[in-house]
């Protein structure tokens, strides 16, 4: 089966979603992998039965609460048609909206500052 190339995953969000603000992210999310032809998907990382919770604040901060209770705050920034999530410590993340109910989240290598475009996690809104 051919490997999906990094250039095949989107690097800019759809126009319907504003970048750099927490409001579109607020809600409950399952986390898995992009789906499509030629991709092999394992089990989701988390499902809507035990979702990730994202909460926004008026100061442009997004709070990520994992199903295990771990919590991280991110400062959001719009950059090149996407949203950068900046934690106080550690790797930043890049969010690219695929639809109003799905975005891909890419980690950014601390040493090079480059996004890992070939390895996104797919966040799907729990409805």
């Amino acid at each position: 089966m051919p490997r999906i190339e990094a250039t095949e995953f989107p690097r800019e969000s759809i126009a319907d979603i504003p970048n750099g603000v927490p409001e579109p992210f607020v809600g409950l999310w399952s986390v898995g992998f992009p789906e499509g032809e030629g991709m092999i998907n394992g089990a989701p990382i988390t499902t809507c039965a035990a979702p990730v919770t994202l909460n926004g604040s008026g100061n442009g901060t997004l709070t990520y609460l994992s199903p295990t209770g771990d919590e991280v705050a991110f400062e959001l920034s719009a950059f090149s048609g996407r949203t950068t999530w900046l934690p106080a410590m550690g790797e930043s993340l890049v969010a690219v909206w695929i639809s109003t109910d799905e975005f891909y989240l890419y980690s950014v290598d601390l040493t090079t500052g480059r996004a890992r475009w070939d390895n996104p996690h797919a966040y799907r809104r729990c409805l």
Side-chain angles (χ1 to χ4, degrees):
M1 188 118 349
R3 179 175 164 79
I4 300 299
E5 296 298 320
T7 57
E8 295 181 40
F9 289 116
R11 295 184 184 203
E12 287 191 20
S13 294
I14 60 171
D16 299 351
I17 307 287
N19 288 301
V21 294
E23 291 81 9
F25 295 102
V26 172
L28 304 175
W29 299 87
S30 67
V31 182
F33 304 95
E35 296 175 351
E37 190 175 325
M39 294 185 206
I40 300 173
N41 290 306
I45 296 167
T46 187
T47 66
C48 290
V52 164
T53 303
L54 299 178
N55 291 307
S57 69
N59 65 358
T61 301
L62 184 69
T63 303
Y64 183 108
L65 180 62
S66 76
T68 60
D70 294 325
E71 189 172 333
V72 179
F74 294 92
E75 181 182 327
L76 301 184
S77 173
F79 179 74
S80 291
R82 49 191 173 254
T83 300
T84 303
W85 296 15
L86 302 161
M89 294 178 57
E91 290 185 339
S92 60
L93 302 166
V94 175
V96 175
W97 286 95
I98 306 307
S99 74
T100 56
D101 293 321
E102 183 176 9
F103 65 92
Y104 290 171
L105 197 60
Y106 304 87
S107 63
V108 177
D109 186 286
L110 267 175
T111 57
T112 66
R114 295 181 188 267
R116 294 182 179 98
W117 294 116
D118 61 343
N119 191 24
H121 286 139
Y123 282 68
R124 296 177 182 96
R125 192 179 305 275
C126 297
L127 304 174

